[in-house]
Structure formats: C-alpha cells, structure tokens
C-alpha cells in the first residue's frame, strides 16, 4: 500500500556539476526535493520505488544497485540506485530521470528502505499507467514512491519547445492536482496536450495516481517555477 510519495523534476541541471555556473539557479528546487524526500523517510516505508520517464532502453524495472551517469551531459559523475553496487543491476543503465533520482537519494543519504526503479514510457496510456501504479503499491505493505518528471517545456520563447500559451494553464492544473493529491485530476490529464507541450512527467504522475487510488493521502506543493522555460514542480504526499 502506498504510504507516501514525493514528486520531483528530473532535469540533469539539478546536479550542480552538470549545471556548472548556473547551479545556484536550481538551489531552491534542490532544497524542495530534499524536503520532499524527508517526507518519504518519515513515512517508514518498507520499499521505495523511483518512477520516471524513460526511453525504450530504460523502460521497466531497475533493481537496486543499477548504475547511471551524467557523462552524456559532459561531466564524469556516476551514481547507483540506492547507492550500493549490486550484481542485480549488471548490464542495465539508469535512464536520465532515474539517474537524477539516484543522485538525490545519494545527496540525502537515503537509508530508510530498499530502493527499486521503474522506467515509464512517456507515451504510455493513462489506464496502463494506473495499472502499473497499482502493481507498484502492492509490492509491500508500506510502499513510498519518488516520482520524477517535468511539466511543460514551452513556458517562454527560449524554452526547449518555444512559447505555447497553453503551457502555463496546463502546468497550473498539474500543480493544483499535485498540491492537493487530487488523484482523479491526475488521471484526467490530457495525454495529447501533455505530449505537445513536452511534459515528460505526465505518465509518471499517472502511475502515481494509480498507486494512490485507495491511499487517502494529503498533498503539499513545495516548489513551482520555470527557470528555463520548463515547468518544475515538487510536491509531497503523506
């Protein structure tokens, strides 16, 4: 059963070595992520599952110990899911979203529970997302989720997806849903619109919605900004 969830953005820019000179611009987002992970630890989970968007090669389960790195972003920084090396993760590599999550867990010294990863296709249909969430919530008596994903990438002229006037209202609706743990609102997110706005978190948020259907959790929005024209949201459910 789901007992807590943290929702965090997944830009590699959260890692200071990747952000380099721009690192201070993400300080508030990093601090909010740390606070959200504190809520997870306080929930005393028996298992933490990290959920995040993944390309074709990163979809599916990633066991504790699976490695990842930010070498593709120009820095020699490596991570492991859950920190410790393990043969279970041999031959697999974390997608970028789960690598950012692994970095956050290392940054906070996570030791509250075993960790697993689950990569989600950004185009996965809402009902299949919900089914995946229900399955994750049933893995242990007390399951916590760390849910990674960005909102729209179209908030400004310099944003990766250029300016789209629909982006701010879309992000605001997601922020309201995450801040109030509104499961039906997350399940009702427009899949086509999310794709057009390059909102990578849509499928991950709908996995969360499936996991939380019977949990009765309350939500709190900890961060809501778009420093690079991309919506970054942090929320905690408990």
């Amino acid at each position: 059963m789901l007992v807590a969830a943290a929702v965090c953005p997944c830009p590699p820019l959260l890692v200071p070595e990747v952000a380099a000179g721009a690192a201070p611009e993400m300080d508030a987002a990093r601090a909010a992520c740390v606070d959200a992970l504190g809520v997870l630890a306080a929930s005393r989970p028996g298992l933490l599952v990290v959920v995040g968007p993944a390309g074709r090669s990163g979809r599916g389960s990633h066991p504790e110990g699976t490695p990842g790195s930010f070498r593709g972003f120009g820095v020699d920084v490596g991570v492991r899911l859950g920190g410790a090396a393990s043969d279970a993760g041999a031959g697999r590599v974390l997608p970028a979203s789960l690598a950012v999550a692994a970095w956050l867990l290392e940054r906070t010294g996570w030791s509250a529970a075993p960790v697993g990863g689950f990569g989600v296709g950004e185009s996965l249909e809402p009902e299949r997302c919900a089914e995946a969430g229900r399955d994750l919530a049933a893995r242990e008596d007390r399951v916590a989720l760390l849910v990674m994903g960005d909102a729209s990438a179209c908030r400004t002229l310099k944003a990766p997806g250029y300016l789209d006037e629909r982006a701010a209202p879309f992000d605001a609706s997601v922020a309201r849903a995450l801040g109030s743990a509104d499961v039906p609102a997350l399940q009702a997110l427009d899949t086509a619109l999310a794709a057009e706005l390059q909102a990578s978190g849509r499928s991950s948020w709908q996995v969360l919605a499936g996991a939380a259907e019977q949990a009765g959790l309350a939500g709190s929005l900890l961060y809501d900004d778009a420093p690079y024209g991309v919506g970054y949201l942090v929320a905690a459910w408990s």
Side-chain angles (χ1 to χ4, degrees):
M1 177 179 178
L2 186 71
V3 295
V7 178
C8 295
C10 57
L13 289 172
L14 275 179
V15 180
E17 292 87 343
V18 176
E25 296 178 24
M26 296 295 290
D27 281 348
R30 292 187 195 98
C33 290
V34 170
D35 290 344
L37 265 66
V39 172
L40 297 185
S43 73
R44 296 178 290 108
L47 173 68
L48 172 66
V49 182
V50 180
V51 179
R56 290 186 179 277
S57 62
R59 295 179 189 177
S61 295
H62 296 268
E64 189 164 27
T66 302
S69 84
F70 298 97
R71 294 180 184 88
F73 300 94
V75 296
D76 189 16
V77 175
V79 294
R80 285 188 182 274
L81 189 63
S86 168
D87 291 341
R92 303 216 64 176
V93 177
L94 295 174
S97 65
L98 299 191
V100 173
W103 177 85
L104 285 171
L105 292 171
E106 290 182 8
R107 178 184 175 93
T108 58
W110 177 267
S111 61
V115 181
F118 185 73
V120 188
E122 291 183 36
S123 61
L124 192 67
E125 297 88 347
E127 182 49 42
R128 292 186 62 193
C129 291
E131 290 174 1
R134 295 181 198 114
D135 289 344
L136 294 178
R139 286 189 177 182
E140 292 280 348
D141 288 340
R142 299 182 63 82
V143 175
L145 295 184
L146 173 53
V147 181
M148 310 299 291
D150 299 339
S152 72
C154 304
R155 291 279 291 272
T156 66
L157 293 173
K158 294 185 178 180
Y162 197 66
L163 177 64
D164 190 315
E165 298 295 342
R166 301 171 297 173
F170 175 86
D171 288 357
S173 69
V174 175
R176 286 193 297 270
L178 293 176
S180 59
D182 189 336
V183 168
L186 290 177
Q187 291 175 328
L189 289 175
D190 188 323
T191 305
L193 178 60
E196 291 172 9
L197 297 176
Q198 301 179 31
S200 70
R202 190 275 308 168
S203 56
S204 298
W205 302 327
Q206 290 185 323
V207 170
L208 167 61
E213 284 176 343
Q214 307 299 324
L217 303 181
S220 177
L221 188 67
L222 306 181
Y223 180 85
D224 177 3
D225 204 355
Y228 302 105
V230 181
Y232 298 144
L233 301 167
V234 180
W237 293 16
S238 62

